Amino acid sequence: MKKSISITVGGFLLATQLLMAQSGKVFDNLSVPSKILKSDRKFAIYLPPNYETSQRTYPVLYLLHGAGDDQTGWVQFGEVQHIAEKAFSDGTATPMIIVMPDANTGTRGYANDPKNEWRYEDFFFQELMPYVEKTYRIKTEKRFRAVAGLSMGGGGSFTYALHHPELFSSACPLSAATGPLTLEDVKAQLKRTKPDVTYTDAEMEAYYKRQSVLELIKNVPDDQKKAVRWYIDCGDDDFLFEGNSLVHIAMRKKEIPHEFRIHDGGHTWTYWRKALPTVLSFVSDAFHQY
C-alpha cells in the first residue's frame, strides 16, 4: 500500500511539473527608464511556455491598451495569458512574447504631442523596443514583429505600422480610434483638451498629417502598399465603426491589401477577448512563413 501511495504521489508531482512547464508567465509591473519622457515607464510582458527552460528566440507582438487602461489591461481584462496559451495548444498560433506598454501615465496616448514636448512615440521606438528586444530573447527581424491594440491602442497600431512599415510584418487594429478626420477636427480637439495651450497652424497641420489614419493611408507610396499585413476588426455597434469603415474604403481605393471584419458587438472587453485569438493566428501566419 505504501509503495502504491508513493507511486501515486510521484505521478501527481510529475504531472504538476509538466503542467507548470507548459504554462507561460506574466510580469505586469516592470519598468524601463526613459530619458525622452524623463521618467520610468511601466510595461507588462508575457513570456510563453518553456521560455525559461529553452534557449530559443521568439517572435514578438506589441499589444496596446485603450484609453483608461494601462499595461495591465490586456492581462486583467483581456485574459491574454489564457487566450494565448489555448491558441498555442490548439496549434492556431505560434508561441510568442507579448509586450504591453503603459500609455496612460503623464499624458494619455501613443503619439508625440503637437509641440513635440511629450514624445511617447519616440520613447516607444527609441527606448522601449530596443530595451525589451535586448533584455528578452526576441527575434529582431521585421518578419517576427507585429503590433495590435484596441481603441486608443488600435489607433496606435495604425499609426505605428504606417509610420514604420519597415518594422512590422503585421498590424491588427481592433475597434480603433482612427485619428482626426479633418484639420478642423484637430483644432477642435486641441481646444477642448488643451484650452490653455496655443498651437501654431504649422503645429496643428503637422499633427494632423502624423495622426490621421486616412491622411497616412492617402500618402502610402505605391511600393509600400504590401509592406504590412493588415487585419482590421470592429463591432457593428461600436461608436468608432464609422472611422474604421472609412479607413477600409480608403485602403480599398488605394489598393492596400487588408482584412476587414465586422462582427456583432460593441466597444467592450467581451468583443476584444473574442477577437484576440484571430489576431494571434493572423500574426502567426507571418511568423511561421505563409
Side-chain angles (χ1 to χ4, degrees):
M1 178 64 72
K2 290 182 178 179
K3 184 176 182 181
S4 175
I5 292 174
S6 177
I7 292 173
T8 302
V9 172
F12 174 77
L13 290 174
L14 177 60
T16 301
Q17 290 171 351
L18 289 173
L19 183 62
M20 290 178 64
Q22 294 170 358
S23 180
K25 289 188 176 181
V26 171
F27 302 90
D28 67 0
N29 197 34
L30 303 174
S31 63
V32 53
S34 171
K35 293 181 179 178
I36 291 173
L37 299 180
K38 300 180 177 62
S39 63
D40 289 348
R41 298 299 305 188
K42 290 186 176 181
F43 69 96
I45 194 164
Y46 165 74
L47 302 176
N50 300 322
Y51 176 86
E52 293 182 341
T53 58
S54 75
Q55 294 300 314
R56 66 168 290 193
T57 55
Y58 292 85
V60 62
L61 170 64
Y62 289 90
L63 189 58
L64 312 182
H65 66 77
D69 287 323
D70 57 24
Q71 80 282 359
T72 66
W74 275 106
V75 176
Q76 181 66 36
F77 308 120
E79 298 178 10
V80 65
Q81 180 173 4
H82 169 73
I83 292 172
E85 290 177 7
K86 185 177 187 306
F88 303 158
S89 176
D90 292 345
T92 57
T94 190
M96 66 187 77
I97 290 172
I98 302 176
V99 178
M100 296 156 279
D102 170 31
N104 201 46
T105 302
T107 296
R108 176 182 290 180
Y110 295 94
N112 292 357
D113 71 16
K115 289 186 174 294
N116 242 20
E117 294 174 346
W118 179 263
R119 297 162 46 215
Y120 190 93
E121 182 170 339
D122 290 347
F123 154 74
F124 183 93
F125 287 103
Q126 296 174 28
E127 295 181 326
L128 176 67
M129 185 182 290
Y131 175 84
V132 297
E133 297 192 5
K134 180 181 179 181
T135 304
Y136 301 93
R137 298 196 309 276
I138 292 174
K139 294 179 182 293
T140 56
E141 301 96 327
K142 162 188 165 127
R143 171 183 156 188
F144 298 109
R145 187 186 296 112
V147 62
L150 66 89
S151 194
M152 180 180 79
S157 303
F158 266 127
T159 55
Y160 282 10
L162 288 165
H163 290 167
H164 291 283
E166 78 282 2
L167 293 179
F168 299 104
S169 58
S170 305
C172 304
L174 306 175
S175 310
T178 55
L181 299 179
T182 66
L183 183 55
E184 292 305 312
D185 287 345
V186 172
K187 295 177 181 179
Q189 174 190 335
L190 293 176
K191 186 176 181 180
R192 182 176 66 255
T193 59
K194 301 284 186 179
D196 298 329
V197 181
T198 301
Y199 299 96
T200 66
D201 289 342
E203 287 171 337
M204 289 188 286
E205 183 176 2
Y207 183 79
Y208 168 68
K209 290 181 177 179
R210 193 169 67 242
Q211 295 306 130
S212 169
V213 176
L214 290 176
E215 186 71 12
L216 290 168
I217 288 170
K218 184 176 74 175
N219 292 297
V220 171
D222 288 343
D223 63 356
Q224 292 294 307
K225 289 180 180 180
K226 297 182 179 180
V228 178
R229 300 171 63 253
W230 291 97
Y231 178 83
I232 303 164
D233 186 349
C234 189
D236 59 355
D237 296 320
D238 198 305
F239 71 96
L240 295 174
F241 176 83
E242 180 182 2
N244 282 264
S245 299
L246 290 173
V247 167
H248 162 59
I249 293 168
M251 293 179 100
R252 286 195 65 176
K253 288 182 177 179
K254 189 72 175 181
E255 298 182 337
I256 298 174
H258 64 288
E259 301 291 330
F260 180 58
R261 297 290 179 267
I262 297 297
H263 300 287
D264 180 41
H267 205 75
T268 67
W269 275 108
T270 300
Y271 190 91
W272 302 318
R273 284 191 294 267
K274 290 180 180 177
L276 185 57
T278 305
V279 168
L280 298 176
S281 175
F282 185 84
V283 302
S284 291
D285 286 343
F287 296 163
H288 274 136
Q289 187 168 1
Y290 56 93

